[in-house]
């Protein structure tokens, strides 16, 4: 009996591994990594907006980050589902703006800490 269970697990593992290999071979890894990065930015922006709304509200050049974050309802979709549903151009803009947004939030947070000290 256990041999059959092990064989079934081996077959399931083989299917998963081959699907992952096919994704790599077809160039899907870069897109998966891009979407994973976007989901991480989305979660971070959402948390920053909740914890420090003033610091998380940068200028218009990076407004897309907060617009996408505010448009996400975590009760309805996951972060990954939300970014996967974005139009390609919007996803590109979101990812391009993310480093500038993060730097502005970091700098605003540092300035707030200096003022508080």
């Amino acid at each position: 009996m256990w041999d059959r269970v092990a064989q079934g697990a081996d077959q399931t593992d083989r299917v998963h591994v081959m699907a992952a290999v096919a994704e790599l071979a077809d160039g899907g890894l870069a897109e998966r990594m891009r979407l994973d990065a976007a989901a991480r930015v989305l979660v971070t922006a959402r948390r920053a907006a909740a914890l420090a709304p003033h610091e998380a509200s940068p200028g218009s050049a990076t407004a897309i980050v907060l617009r996408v974050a505010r448009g996400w309802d975590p009760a309805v979709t996951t972060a990954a589902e939300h970014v996967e549903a974005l139009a390609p151009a919007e996803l590109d803009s979101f990812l391009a703006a993310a480093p500038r947004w993060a730097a502005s939030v970091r700098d605003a947070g540092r300035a707030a800490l200096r003022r508080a000290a």
Side-chain angles (χ1 to χ4, degrees):
M1 176 182 160
W2 289 111
D3 291 341
R4 287 185 183 175
V5 171
Q7 284 178 337
D10 288 345
Q11 185 63 27
T12 300
D13 288 345
R14 172 171 268 138
V15 168
H16 289 295
V17 168
M18 293 311 294
V21 167
E23 183 179 32
L24 288 170
D26 295 337
L29 179 62
E31 182 62 16
R32 176 59 36 210
M33 291 173 65
R34 191 167 162 270
L35 291 169
D36 288 347
R40 184 174 178 163
V41 170
L42 176 62
V43 170
T44 301
R46 181 82 176 202
R47 288 179 177 162
L51 294 174
H54 179 69
E55 288 85 354
S57 298
S60 61
T62 58
I64 186 169
V65 174
L66 286 183
R67 183 170 45 80
V68 170
R70 288 182 180 135
W72 172 43
D73 183 353
V76 177
T77 61
T78 65
E81 290 168 339
H82 188 74
V83 297
E84 287 172 2
L86 295 175
E90 187 174 24
L91 179 60
D92 291 343
S93 296
F94 177 74
L95 284 170
R100 290 188 313 275
W101 171 83
S104 67
V105 171
R106 178 199 61 209
D107 295 346
R110 286 179 178 166
L113 288 174
R114 281 193 301 272
R115 284 191 303 272

